[in-house]
Amino acid sequence: MTTPEWKGLFEWSMKYHDGTRPSEMSAQDVDPEKMKWLDNVLKNYMTDFNDRMKEITQVFEDGENSDASIAEKVALLDELQDIVESVDHAKNLHTIGGLSTLITILECPHAILRQKAAEVVSTCVQNNLPVQQWFRESGVLPPLMKLLTDENDMCRLRGWLAISSLIRNYPEGEKIFLSAGGSRLLLEAASSQNDKIRRRALSLMQYVLRGESRKSVLDSGGVEIAMGALDSGNSEVRQAALGALIEAAEDRDGNVKVRQAGGLLEKTTQIHKRLSDLPNNEKEMFLEEMEAAEKLIESLHQPSSSRSSQQQQKCTALSLA
């Protein structure tokens, strides 16, 4: 599928019609070659994306019978990802039976294809509840979880990207993932030597700690693991760890665990002081981390959080309604 030449089309249209008055151009005024070019652009725009998705998935369904090279298959998955950025096309991928093809690719022997398939999954399900449900019910979770322990770093990273998109704002999917061993995998990844994987896992931990499934992370040593990440030399990892600890402190039980974590206040204070002492031109790069450290210090000085009490008040109000 050729990408429409939007810049050329815009320049051509502006040349002949500025929108302030009726165009005086007639068909005879248009150069035949330019008209041919315009016709080609419009035909490309009118491509039936459902048909194109079928063509792409068919290449992978053909398996060994396909003449496409690995590089060509990578390009096809990139194109598919561009198509499913539209919510409607993401839904249609399920309708045409494309999910089973994606699941097969997630388990194929080529790391680059597994990685690309995970990117397509992530794009499809992000903030799209019906598609999140369809993908989960179609069996995408097991191969994605397998990807989280893949020998290839990029596959693991893309696996976490897809898992994060799959379970965010989808409580049922989140519970199923965590109960199927996801809590253990999440905490292991939050201790990874790979900073990108570690940051991704800590960011997802931060999200989980906001919801009803937070106990599974708190009871499995999440506070201690996040605290350990504060020693990282990577600012993004430290910031994600601070965010997770702040979320933990918002819960009554989590607040107790955070306050009881030996040396946490001292370590957080040291981070804040070290960043505060930087020259102004360097300090600007770490403002978000400084703010997170400051917020955690405030939480550590508070006896308890209001999240649990607010939830209890809400439940009481509902029972009295």
Side-chain angles (χ1 to χ4, degrees):
M1 181 177 65
T2 306
T3 302
E5 302 175 57
W6 296 118
K7 184 175 184 293
L9 178 59
F10 174 76
E11 291 174 348
W12 180 88
S13 63
M14 290 302 292
K15 179 179 179 181
Y16 290 100
H17 187 203
D18 64 5
T20 61
R21 62 185 183 278
S23 174
E24 298 175 356
M25 182 185 67
S26 66
Q28 289 75 24
D29 296 327
V30 182
D31 185 292
E33 286 299 316
K34 291 183 178 179
M35 182 59 76
K36 182 179 179 181
W37 170 82
L38 177 60
D39 184 59
N40 182 56
V41 170
L42 294 176
K43 283 181 178 178
N44 283 328
Y45 178 69
M46 295 301 291
T47 297
D48 188 317
F49 288 107
N50 282 348
D51 287 344
R52 185 54 184 159
M53 288 193 293
K54 289 177 182 178
E55 293 171 359
I56 293 173
T57 55
Q58 186 60 53
V59 171
F60 293 94
E61 290 171 7
D62 289 343
E64 298 299 325
N65 296 324
S66 172
D67 295 329
S69 66
I70 297 300
E72 289 171 332
K73 289 180 177 179
V74 168
L76 288 173
L77 287 172
D78 283 337
E79 181 182 344
L80 182 60
Q81 184 176 358
D82 287 340
I83 294 173
V84 298
E85 283 183 355
S86 162
V87 173
D88 290 335
H89 296 323
K91 293 178 179 178
N92 291 341
L93 183 62
H94 163 72
T95 305
I96 67 172
L99 300 195
S100 59
T101 303
L102 276 180
I103 290 173
T104 299
I105 302 172
L106 286 170
E107 299 180 303
C108 81
H110 303 287
I112 185 61
L113 296 183
R114 297 196 299 274
Q115 169 193 330
K116 290 294 182 179
E119 291 176 5
V120 175
V121 171
S122 176
T123 301
C124 284
V125 300
Q126 189 171 21
N127 299 319
N128 195 336
L129 183 57
V131 179
Q132 288 173 309
Q133 293 173 325
W134 294 335
F135 271 60
R136 200 268 303 167
E137 293 168 357
S138 297
V140 77
L141 191 55
L144 282 182
M145 292 185 69
K146 185 178 179 181
L147 212 60
L148 301 182
T149 57
D150 197 283
E151 60 184 15
N152 182 281
D153 282 355
M154 192 57 70
C155 283
R156 293 202 304 278
L157 182 61
R158 293 297 183 262
W160 279 112
L161 175 67
I163 287 288
S164 179
S165 297
L166 179 65
I167 69 174
R168 283 179 183 271
N169 302 314
Y170 177 29
E172 182 182 0
E174 178 184 339
K175 290 178 182 178
I176 292 172
F177 165 68
L178 294 172
S179 62
S183 293
R184 175 182 58 80
L185 292 171
L186 181 61
L187 295 177
E188 288 177 357
S191 302
S192 173
Q193 296 301 308
N194 184 304
D195 284 339
K196 291 183 178 179
I197 292 174
R198 194 177 195 183
R199 182 187 64 79
R200 175 70 62 180
L202 286 164
S203 296
L204 184 56
M205 183 191 299
Q206 183 177 342
Y207 169 77
V208 172
L209 286 167
R210 293 177 193 152
E212 297 179 359
S213 300
R214 59 185 172 275
K215 194 174 187 299
S216 65
V217 173
L218 289 172
D219 291 348
S220 301
V223 168
E224 292 77 12
I225 288 174
M227 181 177 170
L230 295 180
D231 294 324
S232 171
N234 185 293
S235 176
E236 292 184 342
V237 170
R238 294 195 304 270
Q239 187 177 329
L242 288 166
L245 290 166
I246 290 168
E247 290 297 337
E250 287 295 316
D251 173 73
R252 184 175 56 191
D253 294 334
N255 185 274
V256 173
K257 290 180 180 293
V258 168
R259 286 165 56 80
Q260 290 178 343
L264 178 56
L265 178 59
E266 179 183 1
K267 183 178 292 189
T268 308
T269 303
Q270 288 174 350
I271 290 174
H272 187 271
K273 184 179 186 307
R274 184 176 70 249
L275 297 178
S276 299
D277 290 342
L278 290 173
N280 288 335
N281 60 331
E282 295 182 33
K283 190 186 302 183
E284 291 180 358
M285 297 185 293
F286 301 97
L287 288 179
E288 291 185 4
E289 185 182 351
M290 285 177 57
E291 291 172 359
E294 186 174 342
K295 187 172 182 179
L296 179 57
I297 291 170
E298 292 176 359
S299 296
L300 290 170
H301 283 105
Q302 294 173 358
S304 64
S305 172
S306 60
R307 175 180 285 168
S308 295
S309 60
Q310 287 174 348
Q311 290 178 337
Q312 290 174 356
Q313 291 172 4
K314 182 178 179 181
C315 291
T316 302
L318 288 173
S319 64
L320 295 175

